[in-house]
Amino acid sequence: MKKIISVMMVMMLTFAFPSQVSAEESPTLESIADSIIEITTDNTNENPTTTYNNVEEFVNEVHNQIPDIDDLELANFIMDYTGQEELEVADEEALKYLGFKEIIVSEDYIKVDEAGNTESMTQDEMTLAMFRDDYGISPLANPSTSNNGYMKMKHVVSRETGVLSGNKVGYQIAVYAHWLKMPLCHFEDVLALYFSSGAYDSNHEVYGKLEETIVCCDSTYKYKTQVWKTADKPDYHTNKNVTVDNIVGNAQGIRFKLKSAAIYLCPRTIAANNHMRTVTDILTYMSYGIRVKSKDDCVIQAVYGHKRISIGSIGVSASANGVSLSLSPKTSLDEYRADKLLFTAI
């Protein structure tokens, strides 16, 4: 009888106090990143700047804990984790993120109204402005277009590991330009990125990408084109709609031909029923490498030039003050200029 009671007591205690020893959970990329990558935010400016440190240490620890991880999967995770999830870049561009130690990201929101006036905004202010822009709009109108232009621009500064010869530090500088609401007509635009000090890194030259989303006959298409200008790809294109703009001075740029809803008609219907295709999204990206002397300050600034007319070509030049754009007549050119981003070479 005592033996039966003892067994029953053991069973009751087992259910009352479950074992504290459980199988250790498998590590994930997110859990490792959260424990190693240090994230700091600077709210000094209108829009915050975020710095991600210990990226190199994160990569090493992932290889220790998840040895079978695919490098491209890991690189894409780093881009997503650092707020660069909006565009899928070429594999060789993404893989560069495995060699960075620190990544700095800043965002800017710029509105250019139909008169050409420019206004810098916060994200919340732009969301409200676009809502007001839509108020009372015809239900037949394209919600992606407006008489005003609304753009999100993002600077990304990525520091390579180690110090190069001559006490130089290697950086990749990049910019995203994303139309949140765009003018109806678009033809050939320019995206340029300026740096104030240092020199080009000949081992890491220009990469650019354009991605447009087009809706037609209830189907959605992604129109993608890329360009490289490197030692092994001197001027290689997936097609000629995106080209590197060779700017004299401390800047590089890409020039791209856009599909315009105003002139492209659906090819799947007879002529009498032709209708315009709808462009619902335009996203561009470019990057290149620079070398900055350790302890020196460097400023980068991106500018996007948009033509309101089909004729003419946007002129681009660089000076000590940054990038300048030109077009005749000047009133046909809209400039979306991001705030300057300052960093100090480690």
Side-chain angles (χ1 to χ4, degrees):
M1 185 66 178
K2 288 182 179 180
K3 185 175 181 180
I4 294 175
I5 292 174
S6 297
V7 171
M8 292 176 65
M9 289 294 292
V10 170
M11 292 175 65
M12 290 171 65
L13 290 170
T14 299
F15 285 109
F17 303 99
S19 174
Q20 300 299 310
V21 180
S22 60
E24 185 177 344
E25 293 184 3
S26 299
T28 65
L29 292 176
E30 187 169 7
S31 65
I32 299 173
D34 289 344
S35 66
I36 293 178
I37 296 178
E38 295 180 358
I39 304 175
T40 56
T41 302
D42 181 356
N43 292 301
T44 304
N45 297 320
E46 186 175 36
N47 291 292
T49 298
T50 305
T51 301
Y52 301 85
N53 267 308
N54 300 332
V55 178
E56 178 189 25
E57 290 80 355
F58 161 71
V59 171
N60 292 337
E61 188 59 28
V62 168
H63 284 142
N64 288 334
Q65 296 196 39
I66 314 176
D68 296 331
I69 188 74
D70 177 75
D71 279 347
L72 186 58
E73 179 186 355
L74 177 54
N76 284 324
F77 173 84
I78 293 171
M79 295 191 71
D80 290 349
Y81 193 84
T82 55
Q84 302 178 69
E85 68 280 352
E86 56 258 81
L87 181 68
E88 182 180 342
V89 298
D91 291 353
E92 55 263 56
E93 179 73 7
L95 288 169
K96 294 173 185 175
Y97 281 82
L98 299 181
F100 295 143
K101 189 173 183 66
E102 176 188 70
I103 299 171
I104 304 170
V105 180
S106 68
E107 293 182 352
D108 293 286
Y109 296 84
I110 305 117
K111 172 187 176 182
V112 177
D113 67 21
E114 55 187 324
N117 301 309
T118 301
E119 182 180 357
S120 179
M121 297 179 162
T122 65
Q123 182 178 9
D124 289 343
E125 288 171 342
M126 180 161 286
T127 300
L128 180 59
M130 289 192 296
F131 175 79
R132 288 173 173 167
D133 203 36
D134 286 339
Y135 186 77
I137 195 169
S138 165
L140 299 178
N142 175 9
S144 302
T145 61
S146 167
N147 290 330
N148 306 311
Y150 298 87
M151 181 174 287
K152 172 184 176 181
M153 300 186 77
K154 180 181 296 184
H155 286 133
V156 182
V157 177
S158 304
R159 175 164 61 92
E160 298 175 0
T161 60
V163 177
L164 306 172
S165 61
N167 202 29
K168 301 289 181 64
V169 183
Y171 285 89
Q172 173 180 278
I173 57 175
V175 58
Y176 295 82
H178 187 189
W179 287 103
L180 302 181
K181 188 179 283 288
M182 55 204 162
L184 177 62
C185 297
H186 28 271
F187 304 99
E188 182 177 284
D189 289 351
V190 168
L191 178 64
L193 181 59
Y194 160 83
F195 66 100
S196 65
S197 62
Y200 291 114
D201 185 346
S202 59
N203 295 317
H204 178 186
E205 294 193 59
V206 181
Y207 167 77
K209 183 170 183 178
L210 163 69
E211 181 174 298
E212 292 184 74
T213 303
I214 300 171
V215 176
C216 180
C217 297
D218 297 323
S219 298
T220 300
Y221 306 90
K222 292 286 187 180
Y223 171 76
K224 305 175 183 180
T225 184
Q226 301 177 92
V227 63
W228 291 263
K229 184 181 179 183
T230 60
D232 59 331
K233 295 178 178 177
D235 200 6
Y236 171 78
H237 309 76
T238 52
N239 62 54
K240 293 288 185 180
N241 285 339
V242 177
T243 57
V244 174
D245 207 62
N246 294 308
I247 305 170
V248 177
N250 284 13
Q252 279 287 2
I254 56 173
R255 191 176 295 269
F256 37 90
K257 297 177 182 179
L258 299 168
K259 290 188 177 294
S260 176
I263 58 176
Y264 279 81
L265 300 178
C266 175
R268 293 189 283 177
T269 57
I270 60 175
N273 294 322
N274 266 354
H275 59 268
M276 295 180 184
R277 293 187 263 186
T278 301
V279 181
T280 61
D281 194 53
I282 297 177
L283 178 58
T284 56
Y285 169 89
M286 70 167 294
S287 73
Y288 61 93
I290 61 173
R291 297 184 177 190
V292 183
K293 187 176 180 180
S294 181
K295 308 303 180 185
D296 279 3
D297 290 338
C298 183
V299 170
I300 68 168
Q301 185 179 38
V303 58
Y304 182 105
H306 167 67
K307 285 198 314 177
R308 295 189 179 208
I309 57 177
S310 60
I311 60 173
S313 180
I314 300 174
V316 187
S317 60
S319 67
N321 296 320
V323 170
S324 298
L325 304 179
S326 60
L327 181 70
S328 181
K330 182 68 174 177
T331 53
S332 300
L333 173 66
D334 291 338
E335 291 189 16
Y336 297 79
R337 191 175 296 270
D339 288 340
K340 294 179 178 179
L341 174 61
L342 168 69
F343 66 94
T344 302
I346 302 300

